[in-house]
Amino acid sequence: MPDLDVEAELAVAAQLADAARPIALLHFRSGLSVDAKPAAEFDPVTEADRAIEARMRALLGHLRPDDGVLGEEQAQTPSRSGRTWVVDPIDGTRAFIAGLPTWCVLIALYGPDGPLLSIIDQPFTGERFTGVSGAGAWFERASGRERLRTRDTVLRVEDAIVSTTDPGLFAGAEADAFARIAQSAKVRRYGLDAYGYAALALGGVDLVIESGLKPWDVGALIPVVSGAGGVITNWRGGPAHEGGQLIAAANRSLHAQALDRLASAAV
């Protein structure tokens, strides 16, 4: 968007992430109760999810009252500005309730064509990944701030570190397509949720493949991965910001190879 003040909007995103951190840490490893959303598969939600989203929505109502808000736990707030904040208060709630530090807080600002900028925040480790779509991505922690770059030396699936949150979430043709990649990959790592995409932007993981995602699951991933030099699309090679099937690769060569192997299951 031509009138977007990137630095000002990044500052708003940082305020949201800063507000989420103490709430998340208050509840993490606290023995909090867990509810399950109505679904065929166990879909947990906690007081941390609800409290963080409520806090972020309250801040946005003050800081950006004309912007829309789309989140996992409350009804969508329509936009009057053409911009919408897409938030997932705890991405990886299963990891959160298990006491594993691979959950993240996800914050993205969407324009009419998808995400413009975002933050992937891990409060427990104090790591923050910030991205501007196609323009740059940065890693922040107590020791400082550095530019993120994906790994451009792994060009074949056979040499790659491949990740998905849970291979058991694939079924049918999707399961077969993922298995073809996973079985030929050099290393497989599972259970990372959004943190897997942050690891890709850091130059560790080379390929992340998932399916069944919602907009709040994917919005914050896209600016960080693309800003770090990676490629992130759906399994057809198109825009991924509406969710569904997702593939993120460290470079274009690896993305093209993996996309070819997923083509039979792309929808």
Side-chain angles (χ1 to χ4, degrees):
M1 300 181 71
D3 60 342
L4 183 73
D5 185 333
V6 172
E7 292 304 319
E9 302 309 327
L10 285 174
V12 171
Q15 287 186 63
L16 299 179
D18 289 344
R21 276 191 175 188
I23 303 172
L25 294 176
L26 175 67
H27 292 287
F28 185 51
R29 296 179 177 172
S30 69
L32 80 172
S33 61
V34 180
D35 298 323
K37 299 176 186 177
E41 180 164 346
F42 177 62
D43 188 4
V45 61
T46 71
E47 180 56 33
D49 296 271
R50 299 186 185 100
I52 290 171
E53 184 165 323
R55 178 60 179 146
M56 290 196 289
R57 284 176 176 271
L59 274 172
L60 287 170
H62 173 68
L63 296 170
R64 294 291 185 270
D66 292 330
D67 290 356
V69 185
L70 175 63
E72 184 172 10
E73 308 305 334
Q74 296 185 31
Q76 183 172 359
T77 301
S79 174
R80 297 188 296 269
S81 66
R83 294 191 288 261
T84 297
W85 293 89
V86 179
V87 300
D88 191 345
I90 300 287
D91 179 86
T93 302
R94 292 175 181 84
F96 189 87
I97 64 178
L100 302 172
T102 55
W103 52 275
C104 297
V105 178
L106 303 183
I107 300 160
L109 177 62
Y110 275 47
D113 300 318
L116 305 165
L117 53 88
S118 69
I119 285 177
I120 301 172
D121 197 61
Q122 214 309 312
F124 186 74
T125 62
E127 296 173 312
R128 181 168 295 175
F129 306 83
T130 302
V132 178
S133 288
W138 300 267
F139 176 45
E140 300 173 58
R141 52 184 168 173
S143 59
R145 186 174 189 259
E146 61 190 76
R147 187 74 177 253
L148 284 169
R149 292 299 303 175
T150 58
R151 184 155 54 176
D152 60 5
T153 55
V154 174
L155 305 178
R156 303 189 314 145
V157 170
E158 289 73 16
D159 298 321
I161 299 174
V162 175
S163 180
T164 193
T165 295
D166 183 350
L169 296 176
F170 296 116
E174 287 186 342
D176 294 339
F178 177 75
R180 285 194 293 272
I181 292 176
Q183 289 167 4
S184 62
K186 183 177 181 179
V187 177
R188 292 156 294 281
R189 291 288 88 193
Y190 301 143
L192 299 178
D193 297 290
Y195 197 82
Y197 299 85
L200 187 147
L202 273 168
V205 169
D206 300 300
L207 194 61
V208 185
I209 301 168
E210 296 191 288
S211 183
L213 302 179
K214 304 296 184 184
W216 48 80
D217 297 317
V218 305
L221 313 176
I222 296 169
V224 172
V225 169
S226 69
V231 184
I232 183 166
T233 69
N234 61 30
W235 290 15
R236 300 185 308 277
H241 61 274
E242 293 184 354
Q245 298 172 324
L246 189 70
I247 173 173
N251 55 71
R252 294 194 177 278
S253 176
L254 194 56
H255 178 264
Q257 287 186 41
L259 206 63
D260 184 64
R261 300 186 194 192
L262 294 171
S264 62
V267 296

